[in-house]
Structure formats: C-alpha cells, structure tokens
Amino acid sequence: MIEKEKIEGINTINNLIENDHFQLETMFSLLNSLKRGNELIAFENINTDFSKTETSIKYYCFLTSSLLDLTTTLKGFLITKTKWEIIYYSKYSFLIIYETIKTHHKYQKDFRKILNKYYPNLIDEFNELNYSLKQFKNKFKYDTKIAFLRNNASGHWNNDFSVYYEQISNLTLVDSVKAITEFLDFLKSLIYFIYKFAEETEEITVQNTNNVNTELLEKMKELSELVKKEKNY
C-alpha cells in the first residue's frame, strides 16, 4: 500500500513539473517576443511601452522556476533511501527558499510601483500575500536559522567543518517537507495573483499592440507619400 501511494505521489509530482515547466517555457517565449517587439518599436520611434507586461512576465517566470525547483526536491524526498539523501535535499530546499525570498524582495519593488500607479485596487491583496510571507519567515526563522544554514552549509561551507556538520546533522525530513510545502503554498498564491494581474493588463496590452500596428501603418503611408514626391521631382 505504501509503495502504491509513493508511486501515485511521484506520478502526481511528475505531472505538476511537466505542466509548470510548459507554462514557464510559454511565458519565457512570450517575453522574448516582447523584447523583439520593443526593438522594432524603438527602431520605428513609436511611443508604446510594454514594460509593465515585461515586468510581470519576468516576475512570473522567476516564481515558477522556484516552484519547479522545490517541487522537484519534494519528488526527491519521496525516492530517498538514505539519511544523506534527506540531508542533500533539505540543504538545497532551504537554499532555494532563502534565495527566492531574497530575490522576491527585489522583484516586488518594481512590481509594487506598477500597482501603486496603475492598479491600486490590487494593492491590498498584494500586501496580504507579503504579510503571509512575513509570517512564514518568522515561523521558520528565515533571518537566523535559514540564513545561518545558507551561509554555512548550503550556499557556502563554513571553514570549520564542525559548524558545517552540526548544521546538516540537525536537518530532518519532517521539518524540511513542512517548510517546503508551506512555502509552495505561498508561491502558488503569489503566482495566481500575478496571473490575475496579467488578465487585468491583457486588454491594455492588446490595445497597445493595436496602437503599434496603427502607427506602423501610418509610418508606411508617410513613407509611400515621400517616395511619390521624390518621383515627381
């Protein structure tokens, strides 16, 4: 029965990884398309700004890649057979959590500016998400315990092996999985929020695209008229 449940769990995680990876690839492809569009717009001197869309897509891709890493470590825990594997996946999991939170704080600065300027109706919900992150940080001692682990045993190794080994020896399967699953809940909620934000900006993006097409057509007409005048001369 236990083996069957484990196999089902692995299959479920595999499906989640495949789906989230597909979403990541799709969004990153869209990001590259926007970059090419911006290059064309700049070349044609067209005054259209897709920066809000780019910022949200980069934010989404960053969060999804973190979610993928943590989901993959959960799969690792399901197939572990030794204590050292538990230590290995635990170390990497807490490193991912630490770096994700650190990078999230950087991303949210630009994102919050967009919300404040264009979408004040979404600020309260975004604040609630960040409050839940604050609770997570306090509960799992992000600034002390996780930071110390990151600086001495996962992101870096302490020169004193005793310090390093003491840190990894205290890692347990139960504590690691609990931290991962709770952080995944936060990531999923934040990703869903970004998705909702993207839906609200979709109409604006479509309108901007239409404006670009219109301006390009106008420029082509202007160019055609200039060519005609040159021929008449």
Side-chain angles (χ1 to χ4, degrees):
M1 181 63 71
I2 295 177
E3 267 317 301
K4 183 180 178 181
E5 290 178 355
K6 184 178 288 188
I7 292 172
E8 289 176 352
I10 292 172
N11 289 336
T12 298
I13 289 177
N14 283 340
N15 290 333
L16 289 172
I17 291 173
E18 286 292 337
N19 180 66
D20 289 333
H21 188 206
F22 174 77
Q23 295 295 333
L24 177 61
E25 287 183 320
T26 301
M27 294 301 283
F28 191 74
S29 176
L30 177 58
L31 181 62
N32 285 331
S33 296
L34 280 174
K35 286 180 180 178
R36 289 193 294 271
N38 277 332
E39 290 172 1
L40 175 62
I41 290 166
F43 180 76
E44 295 290 346
N45 292 319
I46 296 174
N47 186 25
T48 303
D49 183 16
F50 291 123
S51 60
K52 295 192 296 298
T53 305
E54 277 194 50
T55 298
S56 62
I57 292 175
K58 287 178 180 178
Y59 199 8
Y60 176 93
C61 288
F62 151 65
L63 294 171
T64 303
S65 65
S66 177
L67 182 140
L68 278 165
D69 278 350
L70 288 173
T71 305
T72 303
T73 61
L74 279 183
K75 178 182 174 182
F77 282 120
L78 281 175
I79 61 176
T80 54
K81 296 185 182 297
T82 66
K83 169 65 175 176
W84 191 257
E85 288 174 294
I86 293 173
I87 290 173
Y88 174 82
Y89 286 114
S90 296
K91 282 199 307 176
Y92 189 54
S93 297
F94 281 110
L95 177 61
I96 294 168
I97 290 172
Y98 181 90
E99 295 299 336
T100 299
I101 292 174
K102 182 180 177 182
T103 307
H104 159 72
H105 287 319
K106 294 178 181 178
Y107 265 99
Q108 73 157 328
K109 289 180 182 178
D110 289 336
F111 191 73
R112 189 177 288 278
K113 288 178 184 177
I114 294 173
L115 291 181
N116 288 333
K117 186 172 182 179
Y118 299 101
Y119 305 95
N121 58 305
L122 297 176
I123 293 175
D124 286 344
E125 186 175 353
F126 190 62
N127 287 339
E128 287 177 10
L129 287 168
N130 279 285
Y131 178 71
S132 69
L133 175 60
K134 183 178 180 180
Q135 289 180 310
F136 174 89
K137 290 170 67 175
N138 290 335
K139 180 177 181 179
F140 291 96
K141 300 178 181 177
Y142 171 83
D143 291 315
T144 54
K145 186 177 180 180
I146 296 180
F148 193 81
L149 176 66
R150 181 261 187 189
N151 292 331
N152 293 278
S154 57
H156 304 279
W157 282 27
N158 193 295
N159 292 330
D160 184 345
F161 187 78
S162 297
V163 175
Y164 165 80
Y165 197 72
E166 181 180 357
Q167 286 298 302
I168 64 172
S169 297
N170 291 327
L171 294 170
T172 68
L173 175 64
V174 174
D175 290 343
S176 299
V177 171
K178 185 173 178 58
I180 292 168
T181 52
E182 290 195 26
F183 191 68
L184 280 173
D185 286 340
F186 162 73
L187 282 180
K188 290 172 186 175
S189 297
L190 186 53
I191 289 171
Y192 179 67
F193 175 81
I194 302 299
Y195 183 80
K196 285 203 306 181
F197 169 82
E199 283 187 326
E200 291 213 14
T201 59
E202 183 177 3
E203 290 185 10
I204 297 174
T205 302
V206 170
Q207 183 60 51
N208 284 342
T209 304
N210 290 337
N211 289 341
V212 170
N213 290 336
T214 300
E215 290 187 53
L216 281 172
L217 287 172
E218 290 299 321
K219 284 186 173 290
M220 292 301 291
K221 287 180 182 178
E222 291 175 12
L223 182 59
S224 178
E225 290 299 321
L226 286 172
V227 171
K228 287 179 182 178
K229 287 180 180 179
E230 288 293 332
K231 285 185 177 179
N232 289 335
Y233 289 134

